Amino acid sequence: MQISNAKVVSLTYQLTVTDKNGDRELVETVEQEHPMVFIHGMSGLPEAFEDKIAGLVAGDTFEFSIPAEEGYGEYDASAVVDLPKDIFKVDGEHVEEMLEVGNFLPMTDDRGNRLQGQIIEVGEDFVRMDFNHPLADKEMFFSGAILSVREATESELDHGHVHGEGGVHH
């Protein structure tokens, strides 16, 4: 069975990006013991990734790159914002371990959208956060293998995610 929309895909991969010196830097490895499992067309992955694996079958290997503009976009300086330090209080107190440079925090914008930001500076009364995706402005290089391809169940399609092994259990 070939990968196409509404098929459940299980795969392994290595993701590298080019660092400041032009060398490849390993970002993530997904191995056979814990593969990535998703519904093609509903994964939330960059569309270019899904396009590159479309048509592959179990046992196929892949190697391709995705430029920044087709991945997580160019770095957006306006996605770096200063937020009042007081919004980070838990039970009326600042949790210093939470407010450390480099930490990623789940946040919600004023429209209820969930996003994740990285703390890049903590001032006396503000926290500067970067809401760019960590792979923004990066060309991504993938190599991996397709482990399996199957039809998604009606329930999986209704819920928008894979159930069972490698997926959501509920």
Side-chain angles (χ1 to χ4, degrees), residues 44-64:
L45 295 165
E47 191 175 317
F49 181 90
E50 290 193 348
D51 290 346
K52 299 273 189 182
I53 64 168
L56 299 180
V57 300
D60 283 351
T61 59
F62 57 86
E63 190 168 329
F64 56 81

Side-chain angles (χ1 to χ4, degrees), residues 88-95:
F88 296 93
K89 287 184 176 179
V90 177
D91 297 328
E93 299 290 325
H94 287 116
V95 181

Side-chain angles (χ1 to χ4, degrees), residues 102-141:
N103 282 357
F104 285 90
L105 298 178
M107 305 286 289
T108 305
D109 68 12
D110 57 359
R111 290 184 228 108
N113 298 313
R114 289 190 227 171
L115 42 136
Q116 185 155 302
Q118 183 178 28
I119 297 174
I120 57 175
E121 183 181 347
V122 178
E124 191 168 320
D125 58 355
F126 72 93
V127 176
R128 182 164 295 143
M129 297 194 68
D130 184 348
F131 289 98
N132 282 287
H133 190 282
L135 294 173
D137 224 23
K138 306 264 187 205
E139 181 174 9
M140 298 178 288
F141 300 90

